[in-house]
Every structure is written in structure tokens, then in C-alpha cells.
Amino acid sequence: MIARALAQDAELLLVNEPTSHLDVLHKFNIFGLFHCLVHITKKCSILVVNEVELALKNSDCLWVIH
């Protein structure tokens, strides 16, 4: 799904729960992937996640909505 989103070459990547049903190692890998993609391609990505700890460690900006 990530590859399909990138293939569209949109300026904004809006992703809902990209790490659901993954173990901790793969969750960190996905966040690292998005971090690299944003800095290499100069695109904006918005990830909706429920795991605040992962978001805190891997985000440039964090919005908490409750």
C-alpha cells in the first residue's frame, strides 16, 4: 500500500494506521521508512496512529486529538 501511494507521486501522503497488526520491530521500520521518504523526497506525510510512544520518537511534529 505504501508503494502504491508513492507511485501516485502526490505531494501529501495521508496514511491511517500504517503499523496496525505489526510487531514492534516492523513498526519502527515503517516509521523509519516514512521518515526517510519525507526527507529524501521533500514530501509531507501525515500518519494517523494510536501509539503515542512511537509517534513521539519518530515525528517532526505531533498533534494529539482526543
Side-chain angles (χ1 to χ4, degrees):
M1 296 298 259
I2 295 169
R4 285 174 41 182
L6 291 172
Q8 294 179 7
D9 198 31
E11 293 296 319
L12 173 67
L13 299 171
L14 179 58
V15 185
N16 185 27
E17 293 291 335
T19 59
S20 63
H21 307 296
L22 295 178
D23 62 7
V24 174
L25 175 64
H26 289 97
K27 288 181 184 191
F28 275 106
N29 289 341
I30 294 295
F31 272 97
L33 173 68
F34 273 104
H35 185 74
C36 288
L37 287 171
V38 166
H39 290 289
I40 290 170
T41 63
K42 305 294 185 211
K43 295 180 186 273
C44 178
S45 69
I46 299 174
L47 281 70
V48 178
V49 296
N50 288 323
E51 299 181 38
V52 178
E53 299 84 17
L54 281 173
L56 284 171
K57 290 187 176 247
N58 296 289
S59 300
D60 294 329
C61 178
L62 180 69
W63 296 342
V64 178
I65 300 172
H66 54 92

